[in-house]
Structures are given as structure tokens and as C-alpha cells.
Amino acid sequence: MQMYVREPISPSYIPTCEADKAPISCVGSSPGIAKNIYWVVCSQIAYAGSQWFFLWLLARYTGPSGVGAYAFGLAVAAPALMFAGLQLRALQATDTKNQFLSGDYLTLRLLGTFSVLAIFMALSCVTWKTNGAVIFLLGAGKCLEAISDGLHGFLHRMERLDLVSRSVLVKAASMAVLGGLSIWITADVRIACAAVSLSFFLTLIFYDVPLYKRIKAESGNNDPHLALRPSALRNLIWLGLPLGYVQLLVSLGANAPRYFLEKYYGEADLGIFAAMAYLIVVGQTLISAAGQSASPLLARLHTSGDIAAFRALMHRMLWMAVGVGGMGVLVALSAGVFFLTLLYGDRFAVGAPVLPVIMLAATALYVAWLLGFGLTAVREIKSQAYLLTLSTVVSLGASWILIGRYGLVGAGWAMFSGGAVQATGAGVLLHFALRARVLEGQR
């Protein structure tokens, strides 16, 4: 790749074509906001489906222990990569003033990703005889996925989420095929994780890199692919650190019960819990789509001072979240054993008493996530970081206290405690933010 090492006076650059003012004019017509949302939702559903298909095959062919090893590997890999990513894709997509070169973003993403990969390698050497191989293979795959996400940042900046979504669809299909075949043939979780990493590698090399180069060339953007500019990288790190910290908290809070389950009870119980907890993704996909679709309208209503309409829309969305979560609780209470046996097999049915608690935790999380969209729409950013810090501490503390004594049931209640704190805190913050906007409008 082309390397840029000269340190200019300013990190901004002179636009080389109209793509920098109206990006889509140089790379074809934009699919539009509605179609972008359509592509994003479809790709998210497909990717979540491929992940669940992989998990289902692991449950069927390797049992709870195989699922547990896979879940623990992800729980170790995800927080580090979430933090190292610094939400650079979001920063690049919203860099309307061209403060940084596209090469700055990609260079920092590569530096962070390879640093995390080195940590995974060291960790796998220490724990290779247990689950180190799974941690390294999944970590390597997630690093490849992070590099793809770095390339997607430029496409996102061009408002070509349709192309990003097609990449996700390719990745989902290759993961389902290669991962599924490896489990079916070998029933070995390590080989399956290697196959998933291979699918990410193939998507990166044969789809994402050529697409990135083509769109970059068509846009007329002459930025170097990589830009080694210390001051620009330092400024970008400081800009992204708070966002990386928030992502770290989100990941740690979600994975807290997994760490303690693996420590106290081993991979089998962790596998049962992870299989049940993954069912949350079904509702999460709907909640995420609703939140993304409503965010622009919420922001406009807040800016215009129409707080009554803002609250009405939020109330409708929250009732939807409660309805989706409540349906999950009812199914878990009435047919938990049948449902888990049908999905994963007899060995997972022992988790049926915990499933209603997990669905109750899912309801709290759905509410918290939608309130988070509302807080972002009213530009309450720093307060969300404080709230996530509190909810993560509560989740870790509850996991430490409850799981050692109550096992799977304790893990479910620890998950609920973090979600309940996050939902309650978000509701309080949004209430006071809207109240302040009303008072401001009365002046």
C-alpha cells in the first residue's frame, strides 16, 4: 500500500474532486436514506442469522462445552477490539470537515488491531492447553473483521451503506458455509473457529480490499491508503478514546456473567447460558432497526422544541420494546423446556428455569437501548459514559456475588441487574434532558 510519511502543517486536505463536498456524485447515485436503512437491516439480520446457525451447529455437534469455549473466546476477544477500534468508522463517516486523511483512519485502525492481535498471541501461549487456541483463532478472525470495518469507514463516508451491507452479506454467507461445513465434518470447535477466521480473511482480501480501492479511485480521492502522521494520529486517538471507552464498557457489561460462569462452573454451563442469551439478538435486531430509523426524527423534534411529539414517539418505541421482551418472557415461562430442546437439544433443556430471567433481562436491555437512541438524539453523550460505567460495575459486582453461589440463575439475575440499572438511569437522564429543553423554550 502507498505510504504517506510527511507531516503537513494541518491534518486537513484539499478536496480533489466533488466527492469531498458531495461524496456520492463521484461514485454513482446514493441509494438514499430509506434504502440504506433497508440494506443495513437486511445485512444485520443475515449476519445475526449466520452467527446463530454457527452456534446452533456447535450446540448440536459439540454440546454445551463447545458452545462454552466459543462464547468464552468471544468474551475475551471482543472488549479489547471494541476499545482499540475507537469507533473510527463512525468518526470517519461524520468527518464532514475533512479534518483527517482517509489514510489516518486506516493507519490507526491497523495499528490498534495488530496491537490487540499481539496480545491475543501472548495470551494463547499462556493458556494454549485449555482454551488458548480458541481465543487466538477467534481473536485473529475478529482482527480481520476489524480491518474490514476500517475499510468500510470510507464507504460509509461516501454514503454507500448498500456496498457495506453487501460485504456483510458476503461475510455472513461465507461464515455459514465454511463454519458449518467444518463443524459438520470435524465436530471440533478449534477447526470451526479457524474456518470462521478464514471466511473473514477471504471476504477481506477478495471483496473488501478491491471494493475499497475501486470506490476510492472513482471518487477521485488521492489520499494515501496509509498515512503515518504522528500529530494527526495523536489527535485522532484523543478524539476516539471516549468512544472506545464506551464500547469497552458495553462489551464488558454484556460479557461479565460469562467470565464468572467459566471461572466457577466451566465451559459446559457457560455454553448453556450463551445459547440462551443469544436469543436476545432476535429482539435486538428489531430494536436497533427501530432506533436507527427514528433517530433523525427524534433529533429534529428536539431541535424544534416539539418535546410532546418527542415523548410520544419515545413512548411508542418503549411499548414496542416491552412488548417484544414480554413475548419472550411468556414463551420462556410456558414452553422453555420444549423451546430449548427443539433449538439446541436435550442437554440444553436444563437451562429452562433460567430462560425467563434472561428474557426479563432482555426486556430491560431493549428499553435501555431505545432510551440510548433518545439520549444521543438530544446530544447527551458524556452522561451515557457515566451511566455505562455504573451499569458495568453493577453487572460485574452482581456476577461476582451471585454466580458463585447460584450458578446459571445467578448469571441471569446479574445480567438483569446491569440492564435494569442502565434502563433506569437512561430514563432519568432523558427525562431531565427533555425538561431542560422545555424550560429553555419557555425563556
Side-chain angles (χ1 to χ4, degrees):
M1 281 188 174
Q2 173 184 7
M3 177 66 77
Y4 182 76
V5 296
R6 182 175 61 85
E7 187 71 31
I9 297 175
S10 170
S12 61
Y13 68 97
I14 300 173
T16 55
C17 82
E18 288 300 310
D20 298 296
K21 300 176 183 177
I24 56 175
S25 64
C26 290
V27 293
S29 61
S30 168
I33 295 176
K35 287 190 176 180
N36 269 334
I37 292 175
Y38 168 80
W39 275 105
V40 170
V41 171
C42 289
S43 64
Q44 286 180 346
I45 292 173
Y47 188 55
S50 70
Q51 287 183 310
W52 182 83
F53 177 68
F54 182 80
L55 187 72
W56 176 76
L57 286 174
L58 275 180
R60 289 291 181 176
Y61 286 93
T62 68
S65 296
V67 176
Y70 174 71
F72 186 70
L74 287 179
V76 172
L81 280 167
M82 285 286 196
F83 178 72
L86 302 176
Q87 287 201 43
L88 290 175
R89 175 176 158 184
L91 290 175
Q92 185 172 6
T94 56
D95 187 7
T96 56
K97 296 182 179 179
N98 299 319
Q99 289 182 287
F100 301 95
L101 301 171
S102 60
D104 293 328
Y105 292 99
L106 186 55
T107 299
L108 186 56
R109 176 58 71 95
L110 290 175
L111 290 174
T113 300
F114 287 129
S115 298
V116 171
L117 182 59
I119 295 174
F120 291 153
M121 291 179 65
L123 184 61
S124 66
C125 290
V126 175
T127 60
W128 188 264
K129 291 184 179 180
T130 52
N131 46 27
V134 174
I135 292 174
F136 173 73
L137 290 169
L138 283 176
K142 286 297 179 182
C143 286
L144 292 167
E145 193 175 26
I147 296 173
S148 288
D149 190 65
L151 299 177
H152 292 167
F154 182 80
L155 301 178
H156 198 162
R157 174 71 180 87
M158 296 287 105
E159 300 181 28
R160 295 307 305 266
L161 289 177
D162 56 325
L163 299 179
V164 174
S165 299
R166 289 172 188 172
S167 170
V168 175
L169 290 173
V170 170
K171 181 172 61 178
S174 61
M175 176 183 175
V177 172
L178 294 179
L181 285 175
S182 66
I183 298 172
W184 181 58
I185 294 172
T186 68
D188 189 317
V189 65
R190 291 168 297 183
I191 295 177
C193 291
V196 169
S197 296
L198 177 61
S199 70
F200 293 162
F201 175 76
L202 294 175
T203 304
L204 172 65
I205 296 301
F206 293 106
Y207 187 90
D208 290 328
V209 171
L211 177 64
Y212 166 78
K213 289 183 176 179
R214 178 173 66 83
I215 297 300
K216 194 167 183 294
E218 290 178 1
S219 71
N221 187 313
N222 294 324
D223 283 358
H225 297 306
L226 298 176
L228 190 58
R229 307 189 306 156
S231 67
L233 295 178
R234 184 168 57 251
N235 292 335
L236 192 52
I237 289 172
W238 281 112
L239 185 63
L241 269 178
L243 300 176
Y245 173 69
V246 168
Q247 289 299 300
L248 174 65
L249 291 176
V250 169
S251 187
L252 284 177
N255 288 304
R258 291 167 169 80
Y259 302 136
F260 289 91
L261 268 177
E262 199 277 339
K263 176 182 178 181
Y264 290 122
Y265 294 93
E267 292 176 346
D269 277 32
L270 172 57
I272 294 171
F273 177 81
M276 293 187 294
Y278 196 78
L279 297 174
I280 293 176
V281 174
V282 178
Q284 182 183 4
T285 303
L286 298 174
I287 297 301
S288 178
Q292 289 183 29
S293 301
S295 290
L297 177 56
L298 287 171
R300 289 197 298 271
L301 291 173
H302 179 261
T303 301
S304 65
D306 193 351
I307 303 305
F310 185 104
R311 285 174 172 155
L313 179 56
M314 280 301 307
H315 287 161
R316 289 197 297 271
M317 294 168 62
L318 293 176
W319 277 116
M320 182 194 71
V322 172
V324 172
M327 288 282 292
V329 173
L330 288 176
V331 171
L333 286 171
S334 60
V337 173
F338 171 78
F339 193 66
L340 290 176
T341 302
L342 178 66
L343 285 179
Y344 300 118
D346 296 337
R347 288 177 288 182
F348 290 82
V350 297
V354 191
L355 189 58
V357 182
I358 292 178
M359 291 298 104
L360 186 62
T363 305
L365 288 170
Y366 295 157
V367 170
W369 292 334
L370 281 180
L371 288 170
F373 281 108
L375 287 171
T376 301
V378 303
R379 313 310 292 169
E380 283 288 333
I381 306 300
K382 290 184 179 180
S383 59
Q384 290 189 71
Y386 299 138
L387 174 59
L388 284 170
T389 300
L390 176 61
S391 66
T392 300
V393 170
V394 169
S395 183
L396 287 168
S399 298
W400 177 54
I401 295 171
L402 297 176
I403 292 176
R405 182 175 299 179
Y406 302 109
L408 283 172
V409 175
W413 284 112
M415 184 178 179
F416 171 77
S417 65
V421 168
Q422 188 176 343
T424 303
V428 171
L429 290 174
L430 186 57
H431 169 75
F432 282 106
L434 294 178
R435 183 180 177 184
R437 183 68 180 88
V438 171
L439 293 176
E440 179 186 342
Q442 293 175 348
R443 292 173 186 171

